[in-house]
């Protein structure tokens, strides 16, 4: 039996409105009610809808968690437009994404800024889903491991061994996110294994055996089971398919049955 409890997160990105976010939240509760003992679930709605989703989840007493897609690393102050860890915590969040490829490559966040966010998220008592992944050019140049290792080494700088309990790593090859292209289960497994090896080197084998490494990049109901059956893949971060209740439910069930 797998010792690590799978984690499946739905990253809604900059999608939904007040009405569709509410109905998606209700749909996720209905679709996933029977599988909570086998899989940890979270949704990452846009920030304006965190409180709405939080109140729906509270009223339904669901175990599905709520996460924020982004935070700023400073606790408060003159940072117009930014949102702190304490603010998303107040809105009911237990998880936060850091280092998502869209924030690295569209917004331009550096490894160092991502590390500051990772440390702020953990210091604020929340779990950080640290996303890493190589671009297509980097993969074709044979730099997959080098890029992921650099993003992880810097992303986890000054994160102690005990704090690793509050880290989930998401391997998300940039060329597979939102493109319909998925890493094969073998490609993903090879990278996950190498990431777990790095965690053993940076911390201990025990930390490496416990940390969950999830896969993201065009996961769908049709490919979820083959990805999640790999020994080092502990669930998924789901973008496009998380906006469809039925697909997200099927993906979560695929993780629950591993
Ligand atoms: C993501 O946003 O993290 C993601 C993996 O997106 P998609 O599933 O659409 O590729």
């Amino acid at each position: 039996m797998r010792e690590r409890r799978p984690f499946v997160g739905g990253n809604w990105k900059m999608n939904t409105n007040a009405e569709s976010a509410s109905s998606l939240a209700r749909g996720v509760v209905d679709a996933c009610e029977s599988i909570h003992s086998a899989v940890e679930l979270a949704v990452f709605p846009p920030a304006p809808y965190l409180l709405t989703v939080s109140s729906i989840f509270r009223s339904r007493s669901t175990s599905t968690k709520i996460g924020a897609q982004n935070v700023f690393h400073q606790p408060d102050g003159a940072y117009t437009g930014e949102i702190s860890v304490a603010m998303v915590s107040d809105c009911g969040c237990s998880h936060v994404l850091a280092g998502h490829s869209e924030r690295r490559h569209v917004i331009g966040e550096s490894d160092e800024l991502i590390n500051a966010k990772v440390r702020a998220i953990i210091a604020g008592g929340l779990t950080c889903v640290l996303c890493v992944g190589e671009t297509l050019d980097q993969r074709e140049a044979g730099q997959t491991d080098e890029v992921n290792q650099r993003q992880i080494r810097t992303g986890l700088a000054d994160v102690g061994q005990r704090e690793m309990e509050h880290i989930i790593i998401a391997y998300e090859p940039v060329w597979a996110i939102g493109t319909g292209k998925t890493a094969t289960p073998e490609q993903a497994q090879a990278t996950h294994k190498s990431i777990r090896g790095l965690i053993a080197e940076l911390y201990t084998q025990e930390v490496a055996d416990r940390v969950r490494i999830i896969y993201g990049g065009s996961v769908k109901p049709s490919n979820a089971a083959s990805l999640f059956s790999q020994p080092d893949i502990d669930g998924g971060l789901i973008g496009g398919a998380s906006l469809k209740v039925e697909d997200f439910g099927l993906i979560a069930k695929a993780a629950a049955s591993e």
Side-chain angles (χ1 to χ4, degrees):
M1 199 182 108
R2 187 193 285 271
E3 283 174 27
R4 295 179 292 270
R5 186 166 177 233
F7 177 93
V8 173
N11 175 14
W12 297 359
K13 311 196 189 197
M14 199 173 74
N15 294 302
T16 69
N17 56 30
E19 198 183 320
S20 61
S22 302
S23 71
L24 189 50
R26 285 191 205 97
V28 167
V29 175
D30 292 337
C32 300
E33 222 26 54
S34 59
I35 55 171
H36 279 124
S37 55
V39 60
E40 185 177 13
L41 296 174
V43 295
F44 296 81
Y49 308 129
L50 287 173
L51 277 176
T52 308
V53 175
S54 177
S55 102
I56 291 169
F57 281 7
R58 212 171 329 107
S59 73
R60 301 285 302 270
S61 306
T62 181
S63 309
T64 299
K65 314 265 173 59
I66 302 173
Q69 296 175 18
N70 181 40
V71 287
F72 197 54
H73 58 288
Q74 296 290 353
D76 50 42
Y79 304 105
T80 302
E82 296 294 345
I83 302 175
S84 72
V85 176
M87 288 172 188
V88 300
S89 178
D90 273 349
C91 292
C93 290
S94 53
H95 290 66
V96 187
L97 303 181
H100 190 279
S101 81
E102 287 144 22
R103 297 217 57 93
R104 290 179 190 270
H105 298 288
V106 182
I107 314 291
E109 290 190 3
S110 67
D111 287 338
E112 289 71 24
L113 177 62
I114 292 160
N115 171 247
K117 293 186 179 197
V118 170
R119 287 184 286 121
I121 292 162
I122 297 173
L126 304 191
T127 294
C128 175
V129 180
L130 171 62
C131 307
V132 299
E134 79 287 355
T135 63
L136 186 57
D137 284 353
Q138 290 165 333
R139 173 164 281 265
E140 286 176 351
Q143 296 167 345
T144 297
D145 281 347
E146 182 189 326
V147 169
N148 286 305
Q149 297 210 356
R150 190 199 67 234
Q151 292 179 355
I152 289 173
R153 280 181 196 278
T154 314
L156 294 180
D158 295 322
V159 172
Q161 184 167 323
R162 290 186 59 184
E163 293 167 328
M164 283 299 290
E165 281 175 30
H166 306 291
I167 293 281
I168 295 170
I169 295 172
Y171 167 55
E172 301 204 291
V174 180
W175 48 272
I177 298 182
T179 58
K181 288 185 197 148
T182 316
T184 64
E186 295 71 26
Q187 281 174 323
Q189 165 59 22
T191 307
H192 281 232
K193 191 172 175 201
S194 143
I195 290 172
R196 204 176 296 286
L198 175 65
I199 299 298
E201 189 188 314
L202 294 175
Y203 296 94
T204 63
Q205 188 60 49
E206 198 192 333
V207 171
D209 288 341
R210 285 164 68 107
V211 72
R212 286 173 293 179
I213 307 175
I214 62 175
Y215 171 81
S218 299
V219 177
K220 310 180 265 283
S222 57
N223 59 24
S226 59
L227 285 159
F228 299 161
S229 65
Q230 298 298 311
D232 288 294
I233 300 184
D234 308 313
L237 186 58
I238 319 301
S242 72
L243 296 169
K244 296 180 202 131
V245 166
E246 195 188 345
D247 286 3
F248 187 69
L250 288 169
I251 292 167
K253 281 174 190 143
S257 42
E258 282 310 318

